[in-house]
Amino acid sequence: MRTESDGQGARFTVRSTVEDDWPLVRQTRIENATDNPISYGATLATTLGMTEDDWRMRARRGTAIDAMSVAAVHDDTGRWIRMMSAQEQDGPILTGVWVTPEFRGRVHGVADALFAEVLAWVPGRGDRLTLWVDEGPAGLPARRFYARHGFTPTGRRRAIGFAPGDSIEMAMPVPGGWEPSGIDR
């Protein structure tokens, strides 16, 4: 657990999720599916139809061996302002990335703080970290964030499925023993 400032005076704590967080994981993912279902990978209707067991499994990723999940929690309000997850699927893959709209942007540093946790988890799990992101205009801010952190398009694409358009795969190399540099840990 680590407390950081968002550059605007607000402080937040980064911590791993645990099974008992399932109602907060659910609430955050409902906000995500409402704000941008493509970034979550499911419609709001699908998200609302998920069971408590589904949410408990997602919350447990924070304590899993083959997955990880972290949340940024606003110190003053206790509100979850961001989540980020990763899993092993033929190598590490970044999943479940979302930030509450009022905390988006580099000035807040929330995404960077959570991404540092993902990068600390990745070594020894494969030679590259991958992700899928919307290739449309709504995915541009995410693609810029990923490019800033060393991700490049792989040329692979897939249909979003429940909405028009495609997602593109991006990847960054992760040499064995690699540790993030330039990130205050």
Side-chain angles (χ1 to χ4, degrees), residues 35-67:
D35 175 59
N36 186 351
I38 293 171
S39 78
Y40 180 52
T43 65
L44 179 58
T46 300
T47 304
L48 291 171
M50 293 171 65
T51 67
E52 181 178 324
D53 286 343
D54 294 330
W55 294 115
R56 286 181 178 279
M57 181 272 302
R58 283 165 175 74
R60 278 194 306 269
R61 287 181 179 152
T63 58
I65 293 171
D66 62 348

Side-chain angles (χ1 to χ4, degrees), residues 92 119 122-130 172-179:
L119 293 178
V122 167
R125 298 177 189 279
D127 61 355
R128 67 186 195 144
L129 174 62
T130 62
M172 66 176 289
V174 180
W178 177 82
E179 289 292 331

Side-chain angles (χ1 to χ4, degrees), residues 83-164:
M83 276 190 70
M84 194 174 289
S85 304
Q87 303 170 48
E88 288 186 46
Q89 297 176 357
D90 297 325
I93 182 167
L94 185 63
T95 60
V97 178
W98 185 72
V99 64
T100 303
E102 62 265 30
F103 286 93
R104 291 180 181 156
R106 215 185 281 192
V107 67
H108 297 287
V110 178
D112 291 325
L114 292 176
F115 190 62
E117 297 296 318
V118 171
L119 293 178
W121 175 82
V122 167
R125 298 177 189 279
D127 61 355
R128 67 186 195 144
L129 174 62
T130 62
L131 60 88
W132 290 91
V133 62
D134 178 9
E135 77 168 348
L140 184 59
R143 292 192 311 273
R144 285 183 182 149
F145 172 81
Y146 299 135
R148 183 166 57 87
H149 286 283
F151 285 89
T152 57
T154 66
R156 292 180 60 198
R157 59 189 314 114
R158 66 182 183 194
I160 291 170
F162 64 88

